[in-house]
Amino acid sequence: MAKAPYFPPPPPIPPKTRMFQRMPPAVFTPIMGVFGLGLAWRRGADALSAPAAIGDMILGAVTLLYLFSLAAYAMKLIQRPGTFVDDLRVLPGRAGLAAMVLSGYLLSATIEPFSTVLAGALLLLAFAIHVFLAARVIHLLITGPAEARIVTPVWHLLFAGFVLIPLAAVPIGLTSFATAAFWGGFFAAALIWGASAAQFFRTRIPAPLRPLLGIHLAPASVLGTGAYFLGETQLALVFCVTAIVILSILVGRVRWLLKAGFSPLWGALTFPLAAFSTLMQMAAVVTGSDVLRIVAGLSLVAATLIILPIAYKIVQMWTKGVLAVKTNAAIA
């Protein structure tokens, strides 16, 4: 008698997942870098006679990606608002949420040539959310475990990120606001630089966290650009030298910096490189130096070749569902 054919049981039905329930805020870090790159190319149209269309294309594309990512994270918060605090408890999430807010300043600077009213509204909205975010992190640091209070370069984004305000505020006439934000961000950055330097000689930085050290370049570069916007030429040159020194150290230790291999934390390298190129371009225009013009051009090309592949790879990790796992993003 022939045996009945064997039919294996059907595979288990995977649990249903809600859309964007684990949207990783870490994706905003490279988005911020691409915003900076687009603004650097826009500046290059005047400083380096670069094609203006390149900057416009980059800014247009990243604006759409930014708005889509904002909508995705908003959907996650609607499903469970507590994911915001959960994301703030982990370093990649904290850096990503800070980049999300700071990108609002860069979006304001992006649309300023087209609408000063909308740019001003976005600037003030980003500022309000930035203050709320910084206050929330301070509360978590005070009430959380002592080991969570270690100074990290991400603190620059949270507490010194106000230095981005002059880039959007000065062109629309909010000079007093820009000046206050500049000096407030400067003192915060100085304190973080000092604390980080002291901590660097006392503790060993794990290889996976070393790419975050690239963030130290961002405040120096943005402060120099902000100083030029505010007419503080001599002070801007000081920050130019500071930025060149920091970048030289990072380049000199690049193998040590990237020893752990590619990870989502490489997104922290993107915006500082773009900000450095913008500063060099402004310095070249103000000083008329051919050497600085060459440095500006080379840094813009290098930033483009580095930032875009990093951003592409991190966004690709998001679309494949890998980024949320690797950055321990909260689940709604």
Side-chain angles (χ1 to χ4, degrees):
M1 182 176 179
K3 292 184 178 180
Y6 171 74
F7 295 99
I13 300 175
K16 291 184 178 180
T17 58
R18 298 181 300 275
M19 185 175 291
F20 302 124
Q21 70 171 17
R22 203 178 185 185
M23 193 278 176
V27 76
F28 288 105
T29 309
I31 286 176
M32 181 181 176
V34 178
F35 260 122
L37 180 64
L39 292 172
W41 272 101
R42 176 186 283 180
R43 177 72 53 185
D46 297 326
L48 304 172
S49 299
I54 296 179
D56 292 337
M57 287 190 296
I58 293 174
L59 290 172
V62 75
T63 297
L64 294 176
L65 177 60
Y66 178 58
L67 295 177
F68 174 79
S69 302
L70 281 178
Y73 196 72
M75 292 180 65
K76 175 179 173 178
L77 293 182
I78 291 172
Q79 296 175 59
R80 186 168 76 85
T83 54
F84 175 74
V85 177
D86 292 342
D87 281 329
L88 280 179
R89 297 185 190 279
V90 295
L91 194 59
R94 188 175 295 180
L97 289 175
M100 178 184 73
V101 176
L102 297 185
S103 295
Y105 296 141
L106 301 179
L107 178 59
S108 175
T110 297
I111 66 174
E112 178 271 326
F114 309 103
S115 174
T116 56
V117 174
L118 182 56
L122 284 173
L123 174 64
L124 296 179
L125 176 61
F127 173 70
I129 299 175
H130 190 183
V131 171
F132 169 78
L133 179 66
R136 196 70 184 86
V137 171
I138 291 173
H139 178 264
L140 288 176
L141 293 174
I142 294 174
T143 58
E147 57 269 19
R149 299 170 196 161
I150 296 176
V151 178
T152 70
V154 175
W155 284 28
H156 279 303
L157 302 178
L158 291 164
F159 307 121
F162 298 101
V163 296
L164 284 169
I165 290 176
L167 278 62
V170 172
I172 60 178
L174 300 177
T175 307
S176 298
F177 179 40
T179 302
F182 175 88
W183 287 109
F186 165 71
F187 286 118
L191 291 174
I192 296 169
W193 276 326
S196 297
Q199 190 172 272
F200 180 81
F201 294 105
R202 294 197 313 265
T203 60
R204 181 180 177 275
I205 302 176
L209 298 182
R210 291 173 190 169
L212 292 175
L213 294 174
I215 297 176
H216 286 300
L217 175 63
S221 299
V222 178
L223 282 166
T225 301
Y228 277 125
F229 270 89
L230 294 171
E232 301 287 346
T233 305
Q234 298 301 319
L235 184 60
L237 289 176
V238 173
F239 287 122
C240 282
V241 174
T242 304
I244 291 172
V245 170
I246 294 175
L247 181 61
S248 299
I249 294 173
L250 293 174
V251 171
R253 301 296 304 276
V254 67
R255 293 184 64 182
W256 174 84
L257 198 70
L258 306 179
K259 185 178 180 180
F262 184 83
S263 77
L265 293 184
W266 280 37
L269 302 171
T270 57
F271 178 73
L273 293 173
F276 179 81
S277 176
T278 298
L279 174 60
M280 291 299 104
Q281 291 180 51
M282 295 197 71
V285 170
V286 173
T287 62
S289 170
D290 291 333
V291 174
L292 286 177
R293 193 176 300 276
I294 293 173
V295 172
L298 292 176
S299 64
L300 181 59
V301 173
T304 304
L305 296 177
I306 294 172
I307 293 172
L308 293 182
I310 291 176
Y312 173 78
K313 194 162 186 178
I314 293 177
V315 172
Q316 186 181 53
M317 292 173 69
W318 176 27
T319 61
K320 292 182 177 180
V322 178
L323 184 61
V325 177
K326 288 186 174 291
T327 59
N328 198 22
I331 304 176

